Amino acid sequence: MLVDRSRIHIALQRSGRLSELSRDLLRESGLRIEAGKNSLSARAGNFPADLMFVRDDDIPTFVSDGACELGIVGQNVLEEFALGSNERGFDVLAELGFGQCSLRIAAPERLNYSGPESLARQRIATSYPRLLRRFLDDRKIEAEVVQMKGAVELAPRLEIATYICDLVSTGATLEANGLRPVDTVLKSQAVLIRTRKPLDDERKAIADQLLSRIDGVLATKESKYIMLNASEEALSRITALLPGAEAPTVLPLHGRPGHFAVHAVCQENVFWETLQELKGRAHPPSSSCPSKR
Ligand code: PRT
Ligand code: ZN
């Protein structure tokens, strides 16, 4: 297949937990994507990018080989891949804030776990043998890693292994199988990756443009817009409470001398902690209305 050098190629999970969320992010970044569920590839209607829909396990390979310039994949899949390759063929450009899960060691309910040394000489079933092996080696624990492709939660019941090491998000699957999480091997979320293969200027510019759009989308998601009314005396105390905010806009309120409207964009982590305090300080209380957008 001839590679079209005037377009970039983005590897996305075809069908699974990350596929819709990955497409949503690209749509929010302004790409028109009209591919159906069964398509293997799609052309963005209004941006020089082709999307390749593949198994998530293939995404690190495609990007490292340079077949796709960009990709979206879970850190769990990415790090397992990286541990098996001699050279890192990709860079992580952004954490995307979805697909969160943890790779955890889990034990049957009845078993006591008193730290990683409890794993010594035990059998542990996993689909992530390299990440698990690194976890054990870092702690100088010798244990047997039993590799499974799926249904890892069944291993203790089938007496294939005593422990398992698998992805957990809500914990419901572990619970349903009489298991409980006892240790964490890796915390994971979806990330945007770029090949380390050199790009020609044209495709580098396209990739940079998309990255800056994605950065914009992520920044908006992490921000909250605060609007409140305050008296003149309260203004300096209120602006001091907004450390994560851009310079707030302060506007006089028509017909209410000495009172102002304060508008500020605030980082989400600051927002929730600050909200209560703001409510206490804006004056008069009846007109203080911190709100979010
Ligand atoms: O077909 P393909 O190979 O592309 O997909 P896949 O079946 O390998 O992957 P998929 O779609 O299941 O998951 C894609 C990615 O989503 C993973 O690589 C993770 O980065 C991320 N992710 C987030 C999860 C979970 N949460 C998750 N809970 N991947 C899998 N699970 C599974 C887990 O393995 C276990 O079986 O969900 C079960 C546990 O869920 P809870 O909620 O009961 O704890
Ligand atoms: Zn997979």
Side-chain angles (χ1 to χ4, degrees), residues 200-275:
D200 51 80
D201 290 349
E202 199 171 350
R203 280 186 291 171
K204 183 169 184 310
I206 302 169
D208 287 347
Q209 197 188 342
L210 181 60
L211 178 62
S212 89
R213 288 192 190 189
I214 289 176
D215 277 344
V217 172
L218 296 175
T220 319
K221 283 190 177 166
E222 282 165 12
S223 305
K224 293 278 182 267
Y225 194 82
I226 295 180
M227 290 184 283
L228 54 84
N229 293 346
S231 67
E232 192 158 14
E233 315 84 78
L235 268 185
S236 59
R237 280 177 293 144
I238 284 173
T239 46
L241 271 176
L242 296 169
E246 306 280 324
T249 307
V250 180
L251 302 164
L253 282 174
H254 183 68
R256 291 190 65 194
H259 287 79
F260 296 86
V262 181
H263 292 212
V265 177
C266 190
Q267 288 304 301
E268 170 139 39
N269 54 352
V270 179
F271 176 78
W272 293 111
E273 289 160 22
T274 313
L275 186 60

Side-chain angles (χ1 to χ4, degrees), residues 83-101:
L83 289 175
S85 26
N86 298 329
E87 233 176 275
R88 221 170 163 88
F90 58 83
D91 288 311
V92 174
L93 302 182
E95 296 183 342
L96 301 176
F98 61 83
Q100 283 99 341
C101 55

Side-chain angles (χ1 to χ4, degrees), residues 76 80 101-105 126-128 131-132 165-168 183-188:
N76 50 312
E80 181 71 15
C101 55
S102 301
L103 184 62
R104 306 206 65 184
I105 310 259
T126 189
S127 310
Y128 294 88
L131 283 167
L132 174 57
C165 167
D166 197 15
L167 296 178
V168 179
D183 231 320
T184 302
V185 173
L186 182 84
K187 288 199 170 155
S188 177

Side-chain angles (χ1 to χ4, degrees), residues 103-108 111-126 128-129 131-146 156 160-166 179-186:
L103 184 62
R104 306 206 65 184
I105 310 259
L111 216 67
N112 280 329
Y113 183 83
S114 51
E117 51 288 359
S118 299
L119 302 170
R121 294 173 302 283
Q122 301 296 320
R123 285 163 70 87
I124 312 165
T126 189
Y128 294 88
L131 283 167
L132 174 57
R133 182 59 71 195
R134 182 179 68 180
F135 174 90
L136 295 168
D137 287 351
D138 285 352
R139 290 156 184 80
K140 303 197 172 18
I141 305 288
E142 280 188 39
E144 190 180 341
V145 174
V146 181
I160 296 167
T162 310
Y163 293 92
I164 69 161
C165 167
D166 197 15
L179 301 166
R180 68 191 165 94
V182 293
D183 231 320
T184 302
V185 173
L186 182 84

Side-chain angles (χ1 to χ4, degrees), residues 13-19 54-59 73-77 98-102 128 151-153 166-175 188-190:
Q13 190 186 26
R14 182 170 169 215
S15 110
R17 289 168 191 262
L18 304 183
S19 43
V54 297
R55 291 281 308 265
D56 66 347
D57 316 72
D58 291 331
I59 293 174
V73 67
Q75 287 165 313
N76 50 312
V77 170
F98 61 83
Q100 283 99 341
C101 55
S102 301
Y128 294 88
V152 174
E153 294 92 350
D166 197 15
L167 296 178
V168 179
S169 48
T170 62
T173 308
L174 288 185
E175 206 179 312
S188 177
Q189 61 176 300

